[in-house]
Amino acid sequence: MDLDHASPLCGAGMESDCLLVRAHREAFALIEIMAGPEADAQFHFTGIKKYFNSYTLTGRMNCVLATYGSIALIVLYFKLRSKKTPAVKAT
Amino acid sequence: MNENLFASFITPMMFGLPLVTLIVLFPSLLFPTSNRLVNNRLISLQQWMLQLVSKQMMSIHNTKGQTWALMLMSLILFIGSTNLLGLLPHSFTPTTQLSMNLGMAIPLWAGAVITGFRNKTKASLAHFLPQGTPTPLIPMLVIIETISLFIQPVALAVRLTANITAGHLLIHLIGGATLALMSINTTTTLITFIILILLTVLEFAVAMIQAYVFTLLVSLYLHDNT
C-alpha cells in the first residue's frame, strides 16, 4: 500500500493530513515489526547486541533472563553478606 | 434495613453446617441436559445460547486454545447464573466472596501461563520486554511487566468481588432508605423507589457483564499463551 500518496491532500498544504498519513505509516511499520519470530531476520545486529537487544525474540528473552539473574545475584549477595557479618556484642 | 449491613455476605449455616457447597452446586440444576437429538424448547434455547457464546468467544483461538472451550463455557454459565440468582431477595451470592473468586481466577490464570511457558518458552519470556524498549529502561520494564503479570489473577478476582458486592450493598442501602422515607415523605419515597428499580435493572446487566468480562479475560490470557 502506497501510504505516501494515500491522502490526495498531501503536498497540497494540508499538513494535518500528511501527519495522519505518517502516523498510519508508522503504525503499519510497527505491526510489521511485531509480526513474530519470522520478522527477526530483518534485524542484523553484531557483537553483544546480537544476543541482547529489545527487537528480536532471542534478544528480548536474553535481556529478561539477564535481569532475573542479576536480581537473584543481588539477593544472594545480601543474604550471604548478612550471614558473614557477626552479630554485634553488647558492651 | 438490617442492623448489620453486611449480614447478607456472611456464609450461611444451618444447624452449624455450612450451606455454601449446596449453594454453589445449585445453579447446575437450572441447566437441564438431554440425550435426545431433538430437544424441547428450553433445552434448545439453552443450546442455542451456548453455541452463540462459544462461537463468539472461541473464534480467536487456535486448536490448542479451543480445547479450553468447555472450561470457559462452564465458567461463564456458572458466574452468570450465580450472579443472577444472587439478585433474589435474601439470597447468598458466592461470587461476593473474594476467596471463591481467587479460587477461580488463580488456577485458570496459572494454567494459561504454565501452558504458555511449556509450549512457547521463548515467546513467553520475551513477552516480559516490549519490543523497541530503550536499553536503559530494560531492567525496569522487565520488573514492571513481571509485576503486571502477577497482578492479573488478583485483579480478575477483585473486579468480580467488588462489582457484585458494591451492587448488592447499594440495593440494600437504597431499599432501606426507601423504607425509612415511607413514613416521612411520599414523593421522595417514590423517587427513591424509581432509583431502586433502575439500580436493580443495572445490577442485572452488571451480573451478566461481569461473568462475560471474567471469562473473556481468561480467554485473552489463554490466547496470549497458545
Side-chain angles (χ1 to χ4, degrees):
Chain A
M1 185 180 169
D2 187 7
L3 287 169
D4 285 333
H5 297 95
S7 171
L9 298 166
C10 247
M14 302 292 285
E15 292 303 320
S16 57
D17 276 286
C18 284
L19 282 170
L20 189 66
V21 166
R22 234 178 290 153
H24 274 110
R25 194 190 308 145
E26 278 159 19
F28 273 111
L30 195 66
I31 290 164
E32 214 184 316
I33 287 170
M34 291 172 78
E38 59 272 10
D40 284 359
Q42 65 180 288
F43 300 107
H44 303 288
F45 293 110
T46 52
I48 198 162
K49 271 203 169 289
K50 192 178 176 186
Y51 301 103
F52 293 94
N53 62 75
S54 61
Y55 290 94
T56 61
L57 214 64
T58 316
R60 284 155 68 197
M61 183 188 76
N62 289 339
C63 284
V64 169
L65 290 172
T67 309
Y68 288 155
S70 313
I71 294 168
L73 282 172
I74 292 168
V75 166
L76 207 69
Y77 168 73
F78 280 108
K79 266 196 176 299
L80 289 172
R81 202 177 79 153
S82 63
K83 269 188 190 169
K84 264 190 186 170
T85 313
V88 175
K89 285 186 187 161
T91 51
Chain B
M1 186 173 167
N2 285 347
E3 58 281 353
N4 183 1
L5 195 62
F6 297 97
S8 55
F9 300 111
I10 299 169
T11 48
M13 305 268 264
M14 193 164 79
F15 307 125
L17 296 168
L19 288 175
V20 172
T21 318
L22 287 172
I23 294 167
V24 167
L25 291 172
F26 177 69
S28 60
L29 296 174
L30 304 173
F31 296 101
T33 53
S34 169
N35 53 4
R36 291 176 184 273
L37 188 63
V38 180
N39 295 300
N40 61 25
R41 267 174 280 212
L42 179 65
I43 296 176
S44 300
L45 182 70
Q46 181 187 300
Q47 283 175 343
W48 168 82
M49 191 185 67
L50 268 171
Q51 214 175 14
L52 186 76
V53 174
S54 59
K55 262 188 187 168
Q56 196 267 328
M57 202 159 274
M58 305 312 295
S59 57
I60 58 162
H61 290 284
N62 55 20
T63 322
K64 232 183 202 84
Q66 284 176 357
T67 57
W68 281 53
L70 183 63
M71 180 71 237
L72 294 174
M73 289 306 109
S74 309
L75 188 69
I76 194 171
L77 270 182
F78 172 70
I79 299 175
S81 57
T82 308
N83 288 348
L84 286 169
L85 280 172
L87 289 169
L88 292 168
H90 302 288
S91 64
F92 172 72
T93 319
T95 43
T96 53
Q97 309 299 306
L98 184 64
S99 53
M100 160 120 178
N101 296 333
L102 277 171
M104 288 192 293
I106 290 176
L108 290 168
W109 165 84
V113 168
I114 291 169
T115 305
F117 272 99
R118 278 183 67 191
N119 299 326
K120 302 188 324 184
T121 316
K122 208 175 191 180
S124 295
L125 280 169
H127 199 66
F128 284 106
L129 181 63
Q131 204 167 23
T133 308
T135 313
L137 292 175
I138 288 174
M140 192 177 76
L141 233 66
V142 169
I143 293 166
I144 288 170
E145 287 288 327
T146 311
I147 293 169
S148 78
L149 177 77
F150 284 97
I151 285 279
Q152 282 173 353
V154 178
L156 211 54
V158 170
R159 185 185 298 109
L160 181 58
T161 310
N163 270 288
I164 303 301
T165 309
H168 286 204
L169 266 175
L170 266 174
I171 287 174
H172 207 132
L173 283 167
I174 293 178
T178 310
L179 215 62
L181 284 168
M182 253 183 200
S183 52
I184 299 167
N185 187 335
T186 319
T187 319
T188 321
T189 308
L190 205 64
I191 295 167
T192 321
F193 185 68
I194 291 167
I195 293 171
L196 182 63
I197 300 287
L198 293 172
L199 184 66
T200 310
V201 171
L202 175 70
E203 281 309 305
F204 270 95
V206 165
M208 291 183 283
I209 287 166
Q210 284 306 313
Y212 176 69
V213 163
F214 193 103
T215 313
L216 184 72
L217 284 169
V218 171
S219 164
L220 283 173
Y221 298 153
L222 179 69
H223 180 65
D224 285 341
N225 287 291
T226 49

